[in-house]
Amino acid sequence: QVQLVESGGGLVQAGGPLRLSCAASGRTFSSYAMAWFRQAPGEEREFVGVILWGSTNYVDSVKGRFTITRDNARNTMYLQMNSLTPEDTAIYYCAGRMGLTTRSPSEYAYWGQGTQVTVSS
């Protein structure tokens, strides 16, 4: 079983940065597609971005502002968020799956508990 644990959420002013971390168990982390999703109140869970090896893909609304990286030696994935706006307020989840990337939440078998990101104006 793969376990994922997010951290780094909190309250941040609009325009500011915040970095989220997702620590994963197991020794096959490097070959997993690792993704970030977010869910705002009353909204569906939304794909944010994904990384597999050196390739990344993002939803249009965060391109140029968010960056996903991974440190395979530490089994950790990061989401660096810059220029945050109140529209970015949500619970952020990390997710993992074996194989190729997808934007569909149902295709990810492993999930973290979520971390709250609140952007104030």
Side-chain angles (χ1 to χ4, degrees):
Q1 182 178 352
V2 176
Q3 296 183 0
L4 306 175
V5 180
E6 302 100 333
S7 62
L11 177 65
V12 63
Q13 293 288 331
L18 195 67
R19 190 182 74 166
L20 306 182
S21 299
C22 175
S25 65
R27 59 181 180 180
T28 60
F29 173 79
S30 62
S31 63
Y32 278 44
M34 298 295 299
W36 289 97
F37 292 82
R38 64 186 182 185
Q39 188 165 22
E43 303 289 337
E44 296 181 350
R45 190 162 296 187
E46 176 190 28
F47 171 82
V48 176
V50 62
I51 186 167
L52 177 60
W53 300 106
S55 179
T56 56
N57 187 263
Y58 305 92
V59 68
D60 286 346
S61 61
V62 309
K63 286 182 179 178
R65 298 190 298 123
F66 291 11
T67 303
I68 298 173
T69 58
R70 66 197 300 168
D71 184 342
N72 292 331
R74 297 183 64 86
N75 281 356
T76 302
M77 174 181 65
Y78 304 94
L79 178 64
Q80 178 65 52
M81 303 182 291
N82 298 321
S83 301
L84 285 164
T85 75
E87 293 182 347
D88 296 314
T89 295
I91 300 175
Y92 283 71
Y93 299 89
C94 66
R97 72 184 301 270
M98 299 184 69
L100 301 178
T101 62
T102 175
R103 295 191 173 199
S104 176
S106 64
E107 297 298 318
Y108 287 83
Y110 308 107
W111 292 86
Q113 81 287 350
T115 185
Q116 177 70 48
V117 173
T118 302
V119 184
S120 65
S121 60

